[in-house]
Each structure stands twice: as C-alpha cells, then as structure tokens.
Short mmCIF file of all heavy atoms in Angstrom, two decimals:
data_model
loop_
_atom_site.label_atom_id
_atom_site.label_comp_id
_atom_site.label_asym_id
_atom_site.label_seq_id
_atom_site.Cartn_x
_atom_site.Cartn_y
_atom_site.Cartn_z
N GLY O 1 0.81 -1.21 0.00
CA GLY O 1 0.00 0.00 0.01
C GLY O 1 0.83 1.28 0.00
O GLY O 1 0.30 2.37 0.12
N HIS O 2 2.14 1.10 -0.16
CA HIS O 2 3.05 2.24 -0.08
C HIS O 2 2.86 3.18 -1.27
O HIS O 2 2.87 2.77 -2.41
CB HIS O 2 4.49 1.74 -0.06
CG HIS O 2 5.50 2.85 -0.10
ND1 HIS O 2 5.73 3.65 0.99
CD2 HIS O 2 6.30 3.28 -1.09
CE1 HIS O 2 6.67 4.53 0.66
NE2 HIS O 2 7.01 4.33 -0.60
N VAL O 3 2.68 4.45 -0.96
CA VAL O 3 2.67 5.52 -1.92
C VAL O 3 3.72 6.51 -1.42
O VAL O 3 3.67 6.92 -0.25
CB VAL O 3 1.29 6.22 -2.03
CG1 VAL O 3 1.38 7.44 -2.92
CG2 VAL O 3 0.24 5.23 -2.51
N PRO O 4 4.71 6.86 -2.25
CA PRO O 4 5.77 7.76 -1.77
C PRO O 4 5.21 9.02 -1.11
O PRO O 4 4.28 9.66 -1.63
CB PRO O 4 6.56 8.12 -3.03
CG PRO O 4 6.33 6.93 -3.93
CD PRO O 4 4.92 6.49 -3.66
N GLY O 5 5.73 9.34 0.08
CA GLY O 5 5.29 10.51 0.81
C GLY O 5 4.02 10.35 1.60
O GLY O 5 3.56 11.27 2.25
N ARG O 6 3.43 9.15 1.59
CA ARG O 6 2.17 8.93 2.32
C ARG O 6 2.39 7.89 3.40
O ARG O 6 3.09 6.90 3.22
CB ARG O 6 1.09 8.40 1.37
CG ARG O 6 0.72 9.33 0.24
CD ARG O 6 -0.14 10.49 0.79
NE ARG O 6 -0.47 11.45 -0.24
CZ ARG O 6 -1.63 11.50 -0.87
NH1 ARG O 6 -2.57 10.62 -0.61
NH2 ARG O 6 -1.83 12.42 -1.77
N ASP O 7 1.79 8.11 4.54
CA ASP O 7 1.89 7.21 5.67
C ASP O 7 0.73 6.21 5.65
O ASP O 7 -0.21 6.34 4.90
CB ASP O 7 1.79 8.00 6.99
CG ASP O 7 2.94 8.99 7.17
OD1 ASP O 7 4.01 8.75 6.58
OD2 ASP O 7 2.75 9.97 7.87
N PHE O 8 0.83 5.21 6.51
CA PHE O 8 -0.35 4.36 6.77
C PHE O 8 -0.83 4.68 8.17
O PHE O 8 -0.12 5.28 8.98
CB PHE O 8 -0.05 2.87 6.58
CG PHE O 8 0.79 2.22 7.65
CD1 PHE O 8 0.22 1.67 8.78
CD2 PHE O 8 2.19 2.14 7.50
CE1 PHE O 8 0.99 1.07 9.75
CE2 PHE O 8 2.96 1.55 8.47
CZ PHE O 8 2.37 1.03 9.61
N GLU O 9 -2.07 4.34 8.46
CA GLU O 9 -2.69 4.68 9.74
C GLU O 9 -3.17 3.42 10.45
O GLU O 9 -3.76 2.54 9.84
CB GLU O 9 -3.86 5.62 9.46
CG GLU O 9 -4.57 6.08 10.73
CD GLU O 9 -5.70 7.03 10.37
OE1 GLU O 9 -5.44 8.24 10.24
OE2 GLU O 9 -6.83 6.54 10.22
N LEU O 10 -2.89 3.39 11.73
CA LEU O 10 -3.37 2.31 12.62
C LEU O 10 -4.41 2.92 13.53
O LEU O 10 -4.21 3.98 14.12
CB LEU O 10 -2.24 1.74 13.44
CG LEU O 10 -2.62 0.83 14.59
CD1 LEU O 10 -3.24 -0.48 14.08
CD2 LEU O 10 -1.42 0.54 15.48
N ARG O 11 -5.54 2.22 13.68
CA ARG O 11 -6.59 2.65 14.60
C ARG O 11 -7.04 1.42 15.38
O ARG O 11 -7.41 0.39 14.80
CB ARG O 11 -7.76 3.24 13.82
CG ARG O 11 -8.89 3.73 14.70
CD ARG O 11 -10.04 4.24 13.83
NE ARG O 11 -11.09 4.79 14.64
CZ ARG O 11 -11.27 6.09 14.87
NH1 ARG O 11 -10.46 6.97 14.33
NH2 ARG O 11 -12.27 6.51 15.62
N LEU O 12 -6.96 1.53 16.70
CA LEU O 12 -7.44 0.49 17.60
C LEU O 12 -8.64 1.03 18.34
O LEU O 12 -8.60 2.16 18.84
CB LEU O 12 -6.36 0.12 18.62
CG LEU O 12 -5.00 -0.30 18.10
CD1 LEU O 12 -4.00 -0.45 19.24
CD2 LEU O 12 -5.13 -1.60 17.31
N THR O 13 -9.71 0.26 18.39
CA THR O 13 -10.91 0.65 19.11
C THR O 13 -11.30 -0.50 20.03
O THR O 13 -11.48 -1.62 19.58
CB THR O 13 -12.07 0.97 18.13
OG1 THR O 13 -11.62 1.92 17.15
CG2 THR O 13 -13.27 1.51 18.87
N LEU O 14 -11.44 -0.17 21.30
CA LEU O 14 -11.81 -1.15 22.30
C LEU O 14 -13.16 -0.78 22.90
O LEU O 14 -13.33 0.31 23.43
CB LEU O 14 -10.75 -1.23 23.41
CG LEU O 14 -10.99 -2.23 24.51
CD1 LEU O 14 -10.93 -3.67 23.99
CD2 LEU O 14 -9.97 -2.04 25.63
N THR O 15 -14.12 -1.66 22.75
CA THR O 15 -15.44 -1.50 23.39
C THR O 15 -15.56 -2.57 24.45
O THR O 15 -14.60 -3.34 24.69
CB THR O 15 -16.56 -1.61 22.38
OG1 THR O 15 -16.61 -2.96 21.87
CG2 THR O 15 -16.42 -0.65 21.22
N GLY O 16 -16.71 -2.70 25.01
CA GLY O 16 -16.90 -3.72 26.04
C GLY O 16 -16.83 -5.12 25.52
O GLY O 16 -16.57 -6.06 26.26
N ALA O 17 -17.00 -5.34 24.22
CA ALA O 17 -17.08 -6.69 23.67
C ALA O 17 -16.09 -7.02 22.56
O ALA O 17 -15.86 -8.17 22.24
CB ALA O 17 -18.50 -6.95 23.16
N VAL O 18 -15.51 -5.95 21.93
CA VAL O 18 -14.71 -6.18 20.73
C VAL O 18 -13.47 -5.28 20.72
O VAL O 18 -13.53 -4.11 21.13
CB VAL O 18 -15.55 -5.85 19.47
CG1 VAL O 18 -14.72 -5.91 18.21
CG2 VAL O 18 -16.72 -6.83 19.36
N LEU O 19 -12.36 -5.84 20.24
CA LEU O 19 -11.19 -5.05 19.88
C LEU O 19 -11.17 -4.96 18.37
O LEU O 19 -11.09 -6.00 17.69
CB LEU O 19 -9.91 -5.70 20.40
CG LEU O 19 -8.61 -5.04 19.90
CD1 LEU O 19 -8.50 -3.60 20.42
CD2 LEU O 19 -7.39 -5.84 20.32
N ARG O 20 -11.27 -3.75 17.83
CA ARG O 20 -11.24 -3.56 16.38
C ARG O 20 -9.88 -3.00 16.02
O ARG O 20 -9.39 -2.04 16.60
CB ARG O 20 -12.33 -2.59 15.94
CG ARG O 20 -12.29 -2.30 14.47
CD ARG O 20 -13.37 -1.36 14.05
NE ARG O 20 -14.64 -2.10 14.10
CZ ARG O 20 -15.86 -1.51 14.11
NH1 ARG O 20 -15.96 -0.20 14.10
NH2 ARG O 20 -16.93 -2.26 14.14
N ILE O 21 -9.28 -3.58 15.00
CA ILE O 21 -7.98 -3.17 14.45
C ILE O 21 -8.20 -2.71 13.04
O ILE O 21 -8.76 -3.50 12.20
CB ILE O 21 -6.97 -4.35 14.49
CG1 ILE O 21 -6.77 -4.85 15.91
CG2 ILE O 21 -5.67 -3.95 13.83
CD1 ILE O 21 -6.13 -6.21 16.00
N GLU O 22 -7.80 -1.51 12.71
CA GLU O 22 -7.92 -1.00 11.34
C GLU O 22 -6.58 -0.44 10.89
O GLU O 22 -5.98 0.36 11.60
CB GLU O 22 -8.97 0.11 11.28
CG GLU O 22 -10.37 -0.39 11.59
CD GLU O 22 -11.40 0.73 11.64
OE1 GLU O 22 -11.14 1.76 12.28
OE2 GLU O 22 -12.46 0.55 11.01
N VAL O 23 -6.15 -0.90 9.74
CA VAL O 23 -4.95 -0.36 9.11
C VAL O 23 -5.35 0.18 7.75
O VAL O 23 -5.92 -0.53 6.93
CB VAL O 23 -3.83 -1.43 8.98
CG1 VAL O 23 -2.62 -0.87 8.23
CG2 VAL O 23 -3.41 -1.93 10.36
N SER O 24 -5.06 1.47 7.52
CA SER O 24 -5.46 2.15 6.29
C SER O 24 -4.23 2.64 5.55
O SER O 24 -3.24 3.07 6.16
CB SER O 24 -6.34 3.36 6.64
OG SER O 24 -7.47 2.98 7.35
N ASP O 25 -4.29 2.55 4.24
CA ASP O 25 -3.26 3.14 3.40
C ASP O 25 -3.92 3.89 2.25
O ASP O 25 -5.15 3.86 2.11
CB ASP O 25 -2.28 2.08 2.90
CG ASP O 25 -2.91 1.04 1.99
OD1 ASP O 25 -3.49 1.41 0.95
OD2 ASP O 25 -2.79 -0.16 2.31
N THR O 26 -3.14 4.60 1.47
CA THR O 26 -3.73 5.46 0.41
C THR O 26 -3.71 4.81 -0.96
O THR O 26 -4.00 5.46 -1.94
CB THR O 26 -2.94 6.79 0.35
OG1 THR O 26 -1.55 6.53 0.18
CG2 THR O 26 -3.14 7.59 1.62
N ARG O 27 -3.41 3.53 -1.03
CA ARG O 27 -3.37 2.85 -2.31
C ARG O 27 -4.63 2.02 -2.52
O ARG O 27 -4.68 0.83 -2.19
CB ARG O 27 -2.14 1.95 -2.36
CG ARG O 27 -1.83 1.45 -3.73
CD ARG O 27 -0.38 1.66 -4.02
NE ARG O 27 -0.12 1.40 -5.41
CZ ARG O 27 0.95 0.80 -5.85
NH1 ARG O 27 1.90 0.44 -5.00
NH2 ARG O 27 1.15 0.61 -7.11
N GLY O 28 -5.67 2.66 -3.03
CA GLY O 28 -6.96 2.02 -3.18
C GLY O 28 -7.04 1.01 -4.30
O GLY O 28 -7.87 0.10 -4.29
N GLU O 29 -6.18 1.16 -5.32
CA GLU O 29 -6.29 0.26 -6.48
C GLU O 29 -5.67 -1.11 -6.22
O GLU O 29 -5.94 -2.06 -6.95
CB GLU O 29 -5.62 0.90 -7.72
CG GLU O 29 -4.12 0.88 -7.74
CD GLU O 29 -3.45 1.99 -6.92
OE1 GLU O 29 -4.14 2.77 -6.24
OE2 GLU O 29 -2.20 2.05 -6.97
N LYS O 30 -4.87 -1.26 -5.18
CA LYS O 30 -4.27 -2.56 -4.81
C LYS O 30 -5.00 -3.15 -3.63
O LYS O 30 -4.58 -2.99 -2.50
CB LYS O 30 -2.79 -2.39 -4.53
CG LYS O 30 -1.89 -2.46 -5.72
CD LYS O 30 -0.48 -2.61 -5.28
CE LYS O 30 0.11 -3.87 -5.85
NZ LYS O 30 1.52 -4.01 -5.60
N ARG O 31 -6.12 -3.81 -3.91
CA ARG O 31 -6.94 -4.35 -2.83
C ARG O 31 -6.64 -5.84 -2.64
O ARG O 31 -6.52 -6.58 -3.61
CB ARG O 31 -8.40 -4.17 -3.15
CG ARG O 31 -8.84 -2.71 -3.18
CD ARG O 31 -10.27 -2.58 -3.55
NE ARG O 31 -11.15 -3.05 -2.52
CZ ARG O 31 -11.65 -2.28 -1.55
NH1 ARG O 31 -11.34 -1.02 -1.51
NH2 ARG O 31 -12.45 -2.78 -0.63
N PRO O 32 -6.55 -6.26 -1.39
CA PRO O 32 -6.37 -7.69 -1.16
C PRO O 32 -7.67 -8.45 -1.40
O PRO O 32 -8.73 -7.82 -1.49
CB PRO O 32 -5.98 -7.74 0.34
CG PRO O 32 -6.62 -6.52 0.91
CD PRO O 32 -6.60 -5.47 -0.16
N PRO O 33 -7.58 -9.76 -1.50
CA PRO O 33 -8.84 -10.55 -1.62
C PRO O 33 -9.68 -10.34 -0.37
O PRO O 33 -9.19 -10.00 0.70
CB PRO O 33 -8.33 -11.98 -1.70
CG PRO O 33 -6.89 -11.91 -1.94
CD PRO O 33 -6.41 -10.58 -1.50
N CYS O 34 -10.96 -10.58 -0.51
CA CYS O 34 -11.90 -10.44 0.59
C CYS O 34 -11.91 -11.73 1.42
O CYS O 34 -11.41 -12.76 0.96
CB CYS O 34 -13.30 -10.17 0.05
SG CYS O 34 -13.43 -8.54 -0.71
N PRO O 35 -12.47 -11.68 2.62
CA PRO O 35 -12.56 -12.89 3.42
C PRO O 35 -13.24 -14.02 2.65
O PRO O 35 -14.19 -13.80 1.93
CB PRO O 35 -13.41 -12.47 4.62
CG PRO O 35 -13.21 -10.99 4.72
CD PRO O 35 -13.03 -10.53 3.29
N GLY O 36 -12.72 -15.21 2.81
CA GLY O 36 -13.28 -16.36 2.12
C GLY O 36 -12.75 -16.56 0.72
O GLY O 36 -12.97 -17.60 0.10
N GLU O 37 -12.01 -15.57 0.20
CA GLU O 37 -11.44 -15.66 -1.17
C GLU O 37 -9.96 -15.96 -1.16
O GLU O 37 -9.33 -16.04 -2.22
CB GLU O 37 -11.66 -14.34 -1.90
CG GLU O 37 -13.11 -13.98 -2.15
CD GLU O 37 -13.26 -12.63 -2.86
OE1 GLU O 37 -12.26 -11.94 -3.08
OE2 GLU O 37 -14.41 -12.28 -3.15
N LEU O 38 -9.36 -16.14 0.02
CA LEU O 38 -7.91 -16.35 0.09
C LEU O 38 -7.58 -17.77 -0.29
O LEU O 38 -8.21 -18.72 0.13
CB LEU O 38 -7.43 -16.08 1.52
CG LEU O 38 -7.60 -14.68 2.05
CD1 LEU O 38 -7.22 -14.61 3.51
CD2 LEU O 38 -6.75 -13.70 1.24
N ALA O 39 -6.53 -17.90 -1.07
CA ALA O 39 -6.01 -19.21 -1.42
C ALA O 39 -4.58 -19.28 -0.94
O ALA O 39 -3.81 -18.32 -1.06
CB ALA O 39 -6.06 -19.40 -2.94
N PRO O 40 -4.16 -20.42 -0.37
CA PRO O 40 -2.78 -20.53 0.10
C PRO O 40 -1.83 -20.39 -1.08
O PRO O 40 -2.10 -20.92 -2.17
CB PRO O 40 -2.71 -21.92 0.70
CG PRO O 40 -4.11 -22.39 0.86
CD PRO O 40 -4.95 -21.59 -0.08
N PRO O 41 -0.70 -19.69 -0.89
CA PRO O 41 0.27 -19.59 -1.95
C PRO O 41 0.97 -20.94 -2.16
O PRO O 41 0.95 -21.77 -1.26
CB PRO O 41 1.23 -18.52 -1.46
CG PRO O 41 1.14 -18.58 0.03
CD PRO O 41 -0.29 -18.99 0.32
N PRO O 42 1.63 -21.11 -3.29
CA PRO O 42 2.38 -22.34 -3.51
C PRO O 42 3.43 -22.51 -2.40
O PRO O 42 3.95 -21.51 -1.87
CB PRO O 42 3.08 -22.14 -4.85
CG PRO O 42 2.29 -21.04 -5.52
CD PRO O 42 1.69 -20.19 -4.44
N SER O 43 3.72 -23.73 -2.05
CA SER O 43 4.63 -24.00 -0.92
C SER O 43 6.05 -23.48 -1.17
O SER O 43 6.80 -23.28 -0.23
CB SER O 43 4.67 -25.48 -0.61
OG SER O 43 5.12 -26.20 -1.73
N VAL O 44 6.42 -23.26 -2.43
CA VAL O 44 7.79 -22.78 -2.72
C VAL O 44 7.92 -21.26 -2.55
O VAL O 44 9.01 -20.75 -2.56
CB VAL O 44 8.22 -23.19 -4.13
CG1 VAL O 44 8.34 -24.72 -4.25
CG2 VAL O 44 7.27 -22.66 -5.19
N VAL O 45 6.78 -20.57 -2.38
CA VAL O 45 6.81 -19.14 -2.24
C VAL O 45 6.92 -18.79 -0.75
O VAL O 45 6.26 -19.38 0.09
CB VAL O 45 5.51 -18.52 -2.81
CG1 VAL O 45 5.48 -17.02 -2.63
CG2 VAL O 45 5.39 -18.85 -4.31
N GLU O 46 7.81 -17.83 -0.43
CA GLU O 46 8.04 -17.48 0.98
C GLU O 46 7.11 -16.37 1.49
O GLU O 46 7.13 -16.08 2.68
CB GLU O 46 9.49 -17.06 1.16
CG GLU O 46 10.47 -18.18 0.94
CD GLU O 46 11.89 -17.76 1.21
OE1 GLU O 46 12.11 -16.66 1.75
OE2 GLU O 46 12.78 -18.54 0.88
N THR O 47 6.30 -15.78 0.64
CA THR O 47 5.42 -14.69 1.08
C THR O 47 3.98 -15.05 0.75
O THR O 47 3.71 -16.08 0.15
CB THR O 47 5.78 -13.37 0.36
OG1 THR O 47 5.62 -13.56 -1.05
CG2 THR O 47 7.21 -12.95 0.66
N GLY O 48 3.06 -14.17 1.16
CA GLY O 48 1.65 -14.34 0.78
C GLY O 48 0.80 -15.05 1.79
O GLY O 48 -0.32 -15.46 1.49
#
C-alpha cells in the first residue's frame, strides 16, 4: 500500500465486547482478496 510521501494509519478501538484493528493506506487500487477468497500460496513461495 506504499505511496511515496504517504503514511499508513493504525486505529485500535476497544469497546466492552470487541477489539477492532484498522490499518489504512492510500493505495486504493491494490486491494487484497476479501474474506473467504484467500487461497494458500504455492509452498515454494516465501510470502503471501
């Protein structure tokens, strides 16, 4: 999500029942897959 000159933002919100973690960046065109759409990477790949 890196865009030169732009930061990312972390937001933690704690309520009585939930800890919410949000990480935001300014690169909207590079979206990760949604929940349930993730596929494990090949075993020879070290990332992902």
Side-chain angles (χ1 to χ4, degrees):
H2 175 74
V3 174
R6 300 284 177 101
D7 298 334
F8 73 89
E9 182 178 274
L10 168 67
R11 181 183 184 100
L12 305 172
T13 306
L14 180 66
T15 66
V18 174
L19 172 64
R20 176 179 288 164
I21 300 163
E22 295 176 312
V23 176
S24 302
D25 63 57
T26 55
R27 193 132 190 218
E29 76 278 5
K30 273 193 121 173
R31 295 178 70 92
C34 291
E37 296 177 357
L38 297 173
S43 60
V44 294
V45 177
E46 293 183 10
T47 61

